[in-house]
Amino acid sequence: MSASSNRPLSKAIDPSKLLNGLYTDDDVLISDLTSRSRANWAKDLLSVASSRVLARISQRMTITTAWAAYVTALITWGDYLAPPSWGSFTQFTVPGWPHELVGAFLSILLVFRTDQAYDRFWEGRKQWSSLNSQCRSISRLVLSNLPIGMAQEFLSLVALFPVALKQHLRGDRNERELAAVFHLFQPKNVKTLEIVLESKNMPMTVVWCMSQLSAPLRKNRASRIFNYEVLWEEMEEKLSELADIVSQCEKIKCTPLPLSYSRHTSRFFSLFLFSLPLALVKETSPLLVPTIVLTTSWVLFATEEIGHIIEEPFGTIDSKSAGRRTQRQSSIMVDLEMWRLVLN
């Protein structure tokens, strides 16, 4: 905190307000993520129609349900109105035991598919947590040991790194979003931002810029007096950790689940659902067959789609939330915003 600042820290900073503009990747306000909101059973049921997963699988559900209604209507028509010569076509059904036999295999397939996707999600979450930890450590080091001007240069790059890594992993390049976080500390310095935007690997370029910025600490004549050389060694260690995080995140991003496995799962679910009406039409009321198929397709396709969503731990660009993401920052930005207020 600057010596000229006499205002109490509690009045200068209101941490609760810093969370108001932060969203999760599911477009949920972080301030709304309370135990009460998560346990709202009625709200969960009423929000099914607006579910993002349901929107993604609606076409598949419509096709399977329409097929079930067609098969049921055809066989029911054959039982009462079709001429005898059509009996071999309208009386065709599938026994129930094949679906019972593959039911256990289907459940194992679902569990395995979801576990593999969650492992990727959790590994990505651990890497992002390490990123937050390293960024906070770098910020603490520069704020405690460097002059205000140099510390602000470091903080601008620290603020830029998580956003640059996010865009790199999503295949995005949003100059407005990058500038918004970079200019928190360096409102007039645009050359560094231009270098980052023109690079092929933005997060590694940010790491290189921080390494270049810390290099004079080792060569400075005053390094022996102020122990800047020790600080440089610690900074280089932290920057090496950031570079390793980039590599680990790229490994997760560039090694998706095998496409053949995903295709086999989708084909197996489709075959199961398309043949299900033939097994149910003689066993239950014709009015219930489309409803049963609709519910079953929702369970299977939704679980499969959730696996596809969580296997991308760093998110993807989509039309609904891309506009709002330009106003968002990572959790490390909460700390940086507080420190910016302290410096001012």
Side-chain angles (χ1 to χ4, degrees), residues 225-257:
I225 300 176
F226 297 103
N227 290 325
Y228 281 165
E229 188 170 355
V230 176
L231 177 62
W232 172 81
E233 293 177 354
E234 292 189 21
M235 289 292 297
E236 284 299 313
E237 182 180 349
K238 299 298 181 183
L239 294 179
S240 297
E241 291 290 339
L242 290 183
D244 183 64
I245 290 172
V246 174
S247 299
Q248 292 297 322
C249 291
E250 289 176 336
K251 179 191 72 174
I252 297 172
K253 181 67 177 181
C254 298
T255 313
L257 292 178

Side-chain angles (χ1 to χ4, degrees), residues 23-29 52 318 320-321 324-325 328:
Y23 289 78
T24 69
D25 196 58
D26 295 322
D27 297 329
V28 179
L29 274 169
R52 183 176 63 168
D318 58 80
K320 291 185 177 181
S321 58
R324 287 190 293 270
R325 285 193 182 118
R328 300 180 195 168

Side-chain angles (χ1 to χ4, degrees), residues 39-105:
N40 195 331
W41 174 76
K43 184 179 179 181
D44 290 341
L45 288 180
L46 295 175
S47 62
V48 170
S50 59
S51 169
R52 183 176 63 168
V53 175
L54 182 62
R56 293 188 178 192
I57 66 173
S58 58
Q59 183 179 11
R60 284 171 280 177
M61 290 178 58
T62 301
I63 293 174
T64 54
T65 305
W67 168 254
Y70 171 76
V71 170
T72 303
L74 180 63
I75 294 179
T76 303
W77 174 77
D79 287 341
Y80 296 101
L81 301 175
S85 59
W86 286 45
S88 59
F89 298 98
T90 59
Q91 297 298 321
F92 178 77
T93 58
V94 173
W97 62 266
H99 290 81
E100 297 175 2
L101 184 65
V102 301
F105 174 73

Side-chain angles (χ1 to χ4, degrees), residues 54-282:
L54 182 62
R56 293 188 178 192
I57 66 173
S58 58
Q59 183 179 11
R60 284 171 280 177
M61 290 178 58
T62 301
I63 293 174
T64 54
T65 305
W67 168 254
Y70 171 76
V71 170
T72 303
L74 180 63
I75 294 179
T76 303
W77 174 77
D79 287 341
Y80 296 101
L81 301 175
S85 59
W86 286 45
S88 59
F89 298 98
T90 59
Q91 297 298 321
F92 178 77
T93 58
V94 173
W97 62 266
H99 290 81
E100 297 175 2
L101 184 65
V102 301
F105 174 73
L106 186 145
S107 61
I108 294 174
L109 188 65
L110 274 178
V111 170
F112 180 78
R113 176 70 178 81
T114 307
D115 283 349
Q116 292 298 309
Y118 187 77
D119 285 343
R120 286 171 52 84
F121 173 81
W122 187 243
E123 181 63 27
R125 181 64 187 88
K126 289 194 295 183
Q127 294 301 325
W128 204 261
S129 177
S130 298
L131 179 150
N132 285 343
S133 177
Q134 297 301 326
C135 286
R136 286 167 177 158
S137 296
I138 294 174
S139 302
R140 176 180 53 82
L141 285 173
V142 300
L143 283 170
S144 302
N145 299 280
L146 295 180
I148 295 299
M150 193 174 185
Q152 288 180 327
E153 292 185 58
F154 264 107
L155 290 179
S156 66
L157 293 170
V158 173
L160 192 63
F161 180 77
V163 182
L165 178 58
K166 181 199 71 172
Q167 292 188 11
H168 174 66
L169 295 172
R170 293 180 178 180
D172 186 22
R173 189 156 299 206
N174 190 324
E175 181 178 355
R176 181 183 299 178
E177 185 180 24
L178 291 170
V181 295
F182 182 77
H183 291 158
L184 283 173
F185 302 96
Q186 293 290 318
K188 298 181 180 180
N189 187 353
V190 295
K191 185 177 180 180
T192 302
L193 185 60
E194 290 177 355
I195 294 174
V196 173
L197 287 169
E198 293 173 359
S199 65
K200 293 183 178 180
N201 192 316
M202 292 194 297
M204 286 306 301
T205 303
V206 175
V207 173
W208 174 81
C209 289
M210 284 192 280
S211 184
Q212 290 293 105
L213 187 60
S214 65
L217 297 177
R218 180 169 58 100
K219 303 174 184 178
N220 196 316
R221 293 181 179 180
S223 60
R224 296 181 179 179
I225 300 176
F226 297 103
N227 290 325
Y228 281 165
E229 188 170 355
V230 176
L231 177 62
W232 172 81
E233 293 177 354
E234 292 189 21
M235 289 292 297
E236 284 299 313
E237 182 180 349
K238 299 298 181 183
L239 294 179
S240 297
E241 291 290 339
L242 290 183
D244 183 64
I245 290 172
V246 174
S247 299
Q248 292 297 322
C249 291
E250 289 176 336
K251 179 191 72 174
I252 297 172
K253 181 67 177 181
C254 298
T255 313
L257 292 178
L259 181 60
S260 57
Y261 182 80
S262 298
R263 285 178 174 174
H264 173 73
T265 304
S266 179
R267 290 164 182 166
F268 179 75
F269 289 169
S270 299
L271 179 62
F272 182 88
L273 291 168
F274 280 133
S275 60
L276 185 60
L278 296 171
L280 293 176
V281 70
K282 296 294 185 179

Side-chain angles (χ1 to χ4, degrees), residues 106 110 269 272-273 295-305:
L106 186 145
L110 274 178
F269 289 169
F272 182 88
L273 291 168
T295 305
T296 307
S297 63
W298 174 64
V299 172
L300 295 181
F301 288 141
T303 306
E304 180 191 19
E305 190 63 31

